[in-house]
Coordinates of all heavy atoms in Angstrom, one line a residue:
M28 N 170.8 116.2 61.3 CA 170.9 117.4 62.1 C 172.2 118.1 61.8 O 173.3 117.4 61.7 CB 170.8 117.1 63.6 CG 170.8 118.3 64.4 SD 170.4 118.0 66.1 CE 168.6 117.9 66.0
R29 N 172.2 119.4 61.5 CA 173.4 120.1 61.2 C 174.3 120.3 62.4 O 173.7 120.4 63.5 CB 173.1 121.4 60.5 CG 172.4 121.2 59.2 CD 172.1 122.6 58.5 NE 172.2 123.7 59.4 CZ 171.2 124.7 59.5 NH1 170.2 124.6 58.7 NH2 171.3 125.7 60.3
K30 N 175.6 120.5 62.2 CA 176.5 120.7 63.4 C 176.1 122.1 64.1 O 176.3 122.2 65.3 CB 177.9 120.8 62.8 CG 179.0 120.9 63.9 CD 180.4 120.8 63.4 CE 181.4 120.6 64.4 NZ 182.0 121.6 65.1
E31 N 175.6 123.0 63.3 CA 175.3 124.3 63.9 C 174.1 124.2 64.8 O 173.9 125.1 65.6 CB 175.0 125.3 62.8 CG 176.1 125.6 61.8 CD 176.2 124.6 60.7 OE1 175.1 124.1 60.2 OE2 177.3 124.3 60.3
D32 N 173.3 123.1 64.7 CA 172.1 123.0 65.5 C 172.4 122.2 66.8 O 171.5 121.9 67.6 CB 171.1 122.2 64.8 CG 170.6 123.0 63.6 OD1 170.7 124.2 63.6 OD2 170.1 122.3 62.6
T33 N 173.7 121.8 67.0 CA 174.1 121.1 68.2 C 175.2 121.8 69.0 O 175.9 122.6 68.5 CB 174.6 119.6 67.9 OG1 175.7 119.7 67.0 CG2 173.5 118.9 67.1
V34 N 175.3 121.4 70.2 CA 176.4 121.9 71.1 C 177.0 120.6 71.8 O 176.3 119.7 72.2 CB 175.8 122.8 72.2 CG1 176.8 123.2 73.2 CG2 175.2 124.0 71.6
K35 N 178.3 120.7 72.0 CA 179.0 119.6 72.6 C 179.4 120.1 74.0 O 180.1 121.0 74.2 CB 180.2 119.2 71.8 CG 180.9 118.0 72.4 CD 182.2 117.6 71.7 CE 182.0 117.3 70.2 NZ 183.3 117.0 69.5
L36 N 178.9 119.3 75.0 CA 179.2 119.6 76.4 C 180.2 118.6 76.9 O 180.0 117.4 76.7 CB 178.0 119.6 77.3 CG 176.8 120.5 76.9 CD1 175.7 120.4 77.8 CD2 177.3 121.9 76.7
I37 N 181.3 119.0 77.5 CA 182.4 118.1 77.8 C 182.6 118.1 79.3 O 182.8 119.2 79.9 CB 183.7 118.5 77.1 CG1 183.5 118.5 75.6 CG2 184.9 117.5 77.4 CD1 184.6 119.1 74.8
S38 N 182.6 116.9 79.9 CA 182.7 116.8 81.4 C 184.2 116.8 81.8 O 185.1 116.8 81.0 CB 182.1 115.5 81.8 OG 182.9 114.4 81.4
A39 N 184.4 116.7 83.1 CA 185.8 116.8 83.7 C 186.6 115.6 83.2 O 187.8 115.7 83.0 CB 185.7 116.8 85.2
E40 N 185.9 114.4 83.0 CA 186.6 113.2 82.5 C 186.8 113.2 81.0 O 187.4 112.3 80.5 CB 185.9 112.0 82.9 CG 185.6 111.8 84.4 CD 184.3 112.4 84.9 OE1 183.6 113.1 84.1 OE2 184.1 112.3 86.1
G41 N 186.3 114.2 80.3 CA 186.4 114.2 78.9 C 185.3 113.6 78.1 O 185.3 113.4 76.9
M42 N 184.2 113.1 78.9 CA 183.0 112.6 78.2 C 182.3 113.7 77.5 O 182.2 114.8 78.0 CB 182.2 112.1 79.4 CG 181.3 110.9 79.3 SD 181.7 109.4 78.6 CE 180.0 108.9 78.6
E43 N 181.9 113.4 76.3 CA 181.2 114.4 75.4 C 179.7 114.1 75.3 O 179.4 112.9 75.0 CB 181.9 114.4 74.0 CG 183.3 114.8 74.1 CD 184.0 114.8 72.7 OE1 183.4 114.3 71.8 OE2 185.2 115.2 72.7
F44 N 178.9 115.1 75.5 CA 177.5 115.0 75.3 C 177.1 116.0 74.2 O 177.3 117.2 74.3 CB 176.8 115.4 76.6 CG 177.1 114.4 77.7 CD1 178.1 114.7 78.6 CD2 176.3 113.3 77.9 CE1 178.4 113.9 79.6 CE2 176.6 112.4 79.0 CZ 177.7 112.7 79.8
V45 N 176.6 115.5 73.1 CA 176.1 116.3 72.0 C 174.6 116.5 72.1 O 173.9 115.5 72.0 CB 176.5 115.7 70.6 CG1 176.0 116.6 69.5 CG2 178.0 115.5 70.5
I46 N 174.2 117.7 72.3 CA 172.8 118.0 72.5 C 172.3 119.1 71.6 O 173.1 119.8 71.0 CB 172.4 118.3 74.0 CG1 173.1 119.7 74.4 CG2 172.8 117.2 75.0 CD1 172.6 120.2 75.8
D47 N 171.0 119.2 71.4 CA 170.4 120.2 70.6 C 170.8 121.6 71.2 O 170.8 121.8 72.4 CB 168.9 120.1 70.6 CG 168.4 118.9 69.9 OD1 169.1 118.4 69.0 OD2 167.3 118.4 70.2
K48 N 171.1 122.5 70.3 CA 171.4 123.9 70.8 C 170.3 124.5 71.6 O 170.5 125.2 72.6 CB 171.8 124.7 69.6 CG 172.5 126.0 70.0 CD 173.0 126.7 68.7 CE 173.9 127.9 69.1 NZ 174.5 128.5 68.0
E49 N 169.0 124.2 71.1 CA 167.9 124.7 71.8 C 167.8 124.3 73.2 O 167.5 125.0 74.1 CB 166.6 124.3 71.0 CG 165.3 124.8 71.6 CD 164.1 124.4 70.8 OE1 164.2 123.5 69.9 OE2 163.0 124.8 71.2
A50 N 168.1 123.0 73.4 CA 168.1 122.4 74.8 C 169.2 123.1 75.6 O 169.0 123.4 76.8 CB 168.3 120.9 74.8
A51 N 170.4 123.3 75.1 CA 171.5 123.9 75.8 C 171.2 125.3 76.2 O 171.6 125.8 77.2 CB 172.8 123.9 75.0
M52 N 170.4 126.0 75.4 CA 170.0 127.4 75.7 C 169.1 127.5 76.9 O 168.8 128.7 77.3 CB 169.3 128.0 74.5 CG 170.3 128.2 73.3 SD 171.6 129.3 73.6 CE 172.2 129.5 71.9
V53 N 168.6 126.4 77.5 CA 167.9 126.5 78.7 C 168.7 127.1 79.8 O 168.2 127.9 80.6 CB 167.4 125.1 79.1 CG1 166.9 125.0 80.5 CG2 166.3 124.6 78.1
S54 N 170.0 126.8 79.7 CA 171.0 127.4 80.7 C 171.4 128.8 80.3 O 171.9 129.0 79.2 CB 172.2 126.5 80.8 OG 173.3 127.2 81.4
Q55 N 171.1 129.8 81.1 CA 171.5 131.2 80.9 C 173.0 131.3 80.7 O 173.5 132.1 79.8 CB 171.0 132.1 82.0 CG 171.2 133.6 81.6 CD 170.3 134.0 80.5 OE1 169.2 133.7 80.4 NE2 170.9 134.8 79.6
T56 N 173.8 130.6 81.4 CA 175.2 130.6 81.3 C 175.7 130.1 80.0 O 176.5 130.8 79.3 CB 175.9 129.8 82.5 OG1 175.5 130.3 83.7 CG2 177.4 129.9 82.4
I57 N 175.2 129.0 79.6 CA 175.6 128.5 78.3 C 175.1 129.4 77.1 O 175.8 129.6 76.2 CB 175.1 127.0 78.1 CG1 175.8 126.1 79.1 CG2 175.3 126.5 76.7 CD1 175.2 124.7 79.1
R58 N 173.9 129.9 77.3 CA 173.3 130.8 76.3 C 174.3 132.0 76.1 O 174.6 132.5 75.0 CB 171.9 131.3 76.7 CG 171.4 132.3 75.7 CD 170.0 132.8 76.1 NE 169.1 131.7 76.3 CZ 168.1 131.7 77.1 NH1 167.8 132.7 77.8 NH2 167.3 130.6 77.2
N59 N 174.7 132.6 77.3 CA 175.6 133.8 77.2 C 177.0 133.4 76.5 O 177.5 134.2 75.7 CB 175.9 134.3 78.6 CG 174.7 135.0 79.2 OD1 173.8 135.4 78.5 ND2 174.7 135.1 80.5
M60 N 177.5 132.2 76.8 CA 178.7 131.8 76.2 C 178.6 131.6 74.7 O 179.5 132.0 73.9 CB 179.2 130.4 76.7 CG 179.7 130.5 78.1 SD 180.1 128.8 78.7 CE 181.1 129.1 80.0
L61 N 177.4 131.1 74.2 CA 177.2 130.8 72.8 C 176.8 132.0 72.0 O 176.9 132.0 70.8 CB 176.3 129.7 72.6 CG 176.7 128.3 73.2 CD1 175.6 127.3 73.1 CD2 178.0 127.8 72.5
T62 N 176.2 133.0 72.6 CA 175.7 134.2 71.9 C 176.3 135.5 72.2 O 176.0 136.5 71.5 CB 174.1 134.3 72.1 OG1 173.9 134.5 73.5 CG2 173.4 133.1 71.7
S63 N 177.2 135.5 73.1 CA 177.9 136.8 73.5 C 178.7 137.3 72.4 O 179.4 136.6 71.7 CB 178.7 136.5 74.8 OG 179.4 137.7 75.1
P64 N 178.7 138.7 72.2 CA 179.5 139.3 71.2 C 181.0 139.4 71.7 O 181.9 139.8 70.9 CB 178.9 140.7 71.1 CG 178.3 141.0 72.4 CD 177.8 139.6 72.9
G65 N 181.3 138.9 72.9 CA 182.7 138.9 73.4 C 183.6 138.0 72.7 O 184.8 138.0 73.0
G66 N 183.2 137.1 71.8 CA 184.0 136.2 71.1 C 184.5 135.1 71.9 O 185.7 134.7 71.8
F67 N 183.7 134.5 72.7 CA 184.0 133.3 73.4 C 184.4 132.2 72.4 O 183.8 132.0 71.4 CB 182.9 132.8 74.3 CG 182.7 133.5 75.6 CD1 181.6 134.4 75.7 CD2 183.5 133.3 76.6 CE1 181.4 135.1 76.8 CE2 183.3 134.0 77.8 CZ 182.3 134.9 77.9
A68 N 185.4 131.4 72.8 CA 185.8 130.2 71.9 C 184.7 129.2 71.8 O 184.5 128.5 70.8 CB 187.1 129.6 72.5
E69 N 183.9 129.1 72.9 CA 182.7 128.2 72.9 C 181.8 128.5 71.7 O 181.3 127.6 71.1 CB 182.0 128.3 74.2 CG 182.7 127.7 75.4 CD 183.7 128.7 76.0 OE1 183.8 129.8 75.6 OE2 184.3 128.3 77.0
A70 N 181.6 129.8 71.5 CA 180.6 130.2 70.4 C 181.2 129.8 69.0 O 180.5 129.4 68.1 CB 180.4 131.7 70.5
E71 N 182.5 129.9 68.9 CA 183.2 129.6 67.7 C 183.2 128.1 67.3 O 183.0 127.7 66.2 CB 184.6 130.1 67.7 CG 185.3 130.3 66.4 CD 186.6 131.0 66.6 OE1 186.7 132.1 67.1 OE2 187.6 130.4 66.2
H72 N 183.4 127.3 68.4 CA 183.5 125.8 68.2 C 182.3 125.1 68.5 O 182.2 123.9 68.2 CB 184.7 125.3 69.0 CG 186.0 125.9 68.6 ND1 186.7 125.8 67.4 CD2 186.8 126.8 69.4 CE1 187.8 126.5 67.4 NE2 187.9 127.1 68.6
G73 N 181.4 125.7 69.2 CA 180.2 124.9 69.6 C 180.4 123.9 70.7 O 179.7 122.9 70.8
E74 N 181.5 124.1 71.5 CA 181.8 123.2 72.6 C 182.0 124.0 73.9 O 182.6 125.0 73.9 CB 183.2 122.5 72.3 CG 183.2 121.6 71.1 CD 184.6 121.0 70.9 OE1 185.5 121.2 71.7 OE2 184.7 120.2 69.9
V75 N 181.5 123.4 74.9 CA 181.6 124.0 76.3 C 182.2 122.9 77.2 O 181.7 121.8 77.3 CB 180.3 124.5 76.8 CG1 180.5 125.1 78.2 CG2 179.6 125.4 75.8
T76 N 183.4 123.2 77.8 CA 184.0 122.3 78.7 C 183.7 122.7 80.1 O 183.8 123.9 80.5 CB 185.5 122.3 78.4 OG1 185.8 122.0 77.1 CG2 186.2 121.3 79.3
F77 N 183.4 121.7 80.9 CA 183.1 121.9 82.3 C 184.1 121.1 83.1 O 183.9 119.9 83.5 CB 181.7 121.5 82.7 CG 180.6 122.3 82.0 CD1 180.0 121.8 80.8 CD2 180.2 123.5 82.5 CE1 179.1 122.5 80.2 CE2 179.3 124.2 81.8 CZ 178.7 123.7 80.6
P78 N 185.3 121.7 83.5 CA 186.4 120.9 84.1 C 186.0 120.5 85.5 O 186.8 119.6 86.1 CB 187.5 121.9 84.1 CG 186.9 123.2 83.9 CD 185.7 123.1 83.2
E79 N 185.0 121.0 86.1 CA 184.7 120.6 87.5 C 183.4 119.9 87.6 O 182.9 119.6 88.8 CB 184.6 121.9 88.4 CG 186.0 122.5 88.4 CD 186.1 123.7 89.4 OE1 185.1 123.9 90.1 OE2 187.1 124.4 89.4
I80 N 182.8 119.5 86.5 CA 181.5 118.7 86.5 C 181.7 117.3 86.0 O 182.2 117.2 84.9 CB 180.4 119.5 85.7 CG1 180.1 120.8 86.3 CG2 179.1 118.6 85.7 CD1 179.1 121.6 85.6
S81 N 181.4 116.3 86.8 CA 181.6 114.9 86.4 C 180.6 114.5 85.3 O 179.6 115.2 85.1 CB 181.4 114.0 87.6 OG 180.1 114.0 88.0
A82 N 180.9 113.5 84.6 CA 180.1 113.0 83.5 C 178.7 112.6 84.0 O 177.7 112.8 83.3 CB 180.7 111.8 82.8
V83 N 178.6 112.0 85.2 CA 177.3 111.6 85.7 C 176.4 112.8 86.0 O 175.2 112.8 85.6 CB 177.5 110.8 87.1 CG1 176.2 110.5 87.7 CG2 178.3 109.5 86.8
I84 N 177.0 113.8 86.5 CA 176.2 115.1 86.8 C 175.8 115.8 85.5 O 174.7 116.2 85.3 CB 177.0 116.0 87.7 CG1 177.3 115.3 89.1 CG2 176.2 117.3 87.9 CD1 176.1 114.9 89.9
L85 N 176.8 115.8 84.6 CA 176.5 116.5 83.3 C 175.4 115.8 82.5 O 174.6 116.4 81.9 CB 177.8 116.6 82.5 CG 177.7 117.5 81.3 CD1 177.3 118.9 81.6 CD2 179.1 117.6 80.6
E86 N 175.4 114.5 82.6 CA 174.3 113.7 82.0 C 173.0 114.1 82.5 O 172.0 114.3 81.8 CB 174.5 112.2 82.1 CG 173.5 111.4 81.5 CD 173.7 109.9 81.6 OE1 174.5 109.5 82.5 OE2 173.1 109.1 80.9
K87 N 172.9 114.2 83.8 CA 171.6 114.7 84.5 C 171.2 116.1 84.1 O 170.1 116.4 83.9 CB 171.7 114.6 86.0 CG 171.7 113.2 86.5 CD 170.3 112.5 86.2 CE 170.3 111.1 86.7 NZ 169.1 110.4 86.3
I88 N 172.2 116.9 83.9 CA 172.0 118.3 83.5 C 171.4 118.3 82.1 O 170.4 119.0 81.8 CB 173.3 119.1 83.6 CG1 173.7 119.4 85.0 CG2 173.1 120.5 82.9 CD1 175.1 119.9 85.2
C89 N 172.0 117.5 81.2 CA 171.4 117.4 79.8 C 170.0 116.9 79.9 O 169.1 117.4 79.1 CB 172.3 116.5 79.0 SG 174.0 117.2 78.7
Q90 N 169.7 115.9 80.7 CA 168.4 115.4 80.8 C 167.4 116.5 81.3 O 166.3 116.6 80.8 CB 168.3 114.2 81.8 CG 169.0 113.0 81.2 CD 169.1 111.8 82.3 OE1 168.7 112.0 83.4 NE2 169.6 110.7 81.8
Y91 N 167.9 117.3 82.2 CA 167.0 118.4 82.7 C 166.7 119.4 81.6 O 165.6 119.9 81.5 CB 167.7 119.1 83.9 CG 167.0 120.4 84.2 CD1 165.8 120.4 84.9 CD2 167.5 121.6 83.8 CE1 165.1 121.5 85.2 CE2 166.8 122.8 84.1 CZ 165.6 122.7 84.8 OH 165.0 123.9 85.0
F92 N 167.7 119.7 80.8 CA 167.5 120.6 79.7 C 166.4 120.2 78.8 O 165.5 121.0 78.4 CB 168.8 120.8 78.8 CG 169.9 121.5 79.5 CD1 171.2 121.4 79.0 CD2 169.7 122.3 80.6 CE1 172.3 122.1 79.6 CE2 170.8 123.0 81.2 CZ 172.1 122.9 80.7
Y93 N 166.4 118.9 78.4 CA 165.3 118.4 77.6 C 164.0 118.4 78.3 O 162.9 118.6 77.7 CB 165.7 117.0 77.0 CG 166.7 117.0 75.9 CD1 168.0 116.7 76.1 CD2 166.2 117.4 74.6 CE1 168.9 116.8 75.0 CE2 167.1 117.5 73.6 CZ 168.5 117.2 73.8 OH 169.4 117.2 72.8
W94 N 164.0 118.0 79.6 CA 162.8 118.0 80.4 C 162.2 119.4 80.4 O 161.0 119.6 80.3 CB 163.1 117.5 81.8 CG 161.9 117.5 82.7 CD1 161.0 116.5 82.9 CD2 161.5 118.6 83.6 NE1 160.0 116.9 83.8 CE2 160.3 118.2 84.2 CE3 162.0 119.8 83.8 CZ2 159.7 119.0 85.1 CZ3 161.3 120.6 84.8 CH2 160.2 120.2 85.4
S95 N 163.1 120.4 80.7 CA 162.6 121.8 80.8 C 162.0 122.2 79.5 O 161.0 123.0 79.5 CB 163.8 122.7 81.2 OG 163.4 124.0 81.3
L96 N 162.6 121.9 78.4 CA 162.0 122.3 77.1 C 160.6 121.7 76.9 O 159.7 122.3 76.4 CB 162.9 121.8 75.9 CG 164.1 122.6 75.5 CD1 164.8 122.0 74.3 CD2 163.6 124.0 75.0
Q97 N 160.5 120.4 77.3 CA 159.2 119.7 77.1 C 158.1 120.3 77.9 O 157.0 120.4 77.5 CB 159.4 118.2 77.3 CG 158.2 117.4 77.1 CD 158.4 115.9 77.3 OE1 159.5 115.5 77.6 NE2 157.4 115.2 77.1
Y98 N 158.4 120.6 79.2 CA 157.4 121.0 80.1 C 157.3 122.5 80.4 O 156.5 122.8 81.3 CB 157.5 120.2 81.4 CG 157.3 118.7 81.2 CD1 158.3 117.8 81.2 CD2 156.0 118.2 81.0 CE1 158.1 116.5 80.9 CE2 155.8 116.9 80.8 CZ 156.8 116.0 80.7 OH 156.6 114.7 80.5
S99 N 158.0 123.3 79.8 CA 157.9 124.7 80.1 C 157.0 125.4 79.0 O 156.6 124.9 78.0 CB 159.3 125.4 80.1 OG 159.9 125.3 78.8

């Protein structure tokens, strides 16, 4: 899988979750960050940091993204 096809989500503790970009796009907020013409750093680096979301919660969010892709 190419780096352009993935997104790295980083929790408050610094835990990194590398997921498919398609799965990350389930979230409208992440989609806006990655595709906005405003020049977000997230779009440039393919990384989104969530300083207020713990690793346990972010892991569940990632699981939801894949679940949503499969069942929608």
Side-chain angles (χ1 to χ4, degrees):
M28 183 171 283
R29 298 184 339 229
K30 187 176 193 271
E31 300 84 34
D32 296 337
T33 61
V34 175
K35 186 185 298 183
L36 306 180
I37 305 170
S38 72
E40 301 89 358
M42 210 51 191
E43 298 178 352
F44 298 90
V45 179
I46 65 172
D47 295 329
K48 192 171 191 174
E49 182 182 6
M52 295 293 191
V53 167
S54 165
Q55 188 66 43
T56 301
I57 294 173
R58 179 182 304 153
N59 288 341
M60 289 176 161
L61 296 176
T62 60
S63 174
F67 282 103
E69 290 85 358
E71 198 172 304
H72 302 292
E74 296 181 2
V75 181
T76 303
F77 297 98
E79 297 186 7
I80 299 179
S81 70
V83 175
I84 300 301
L85 191 54
E86 181 179 15
K87 287 295 179 189
I88 291 169
C89 293
Q90 289 173 356
Y91 169 76
F92 290 162
Y93 282 105
W94 178 89
S95 181
L96 272 180
Q97 183 176 358
Y98 292 105
S99 63

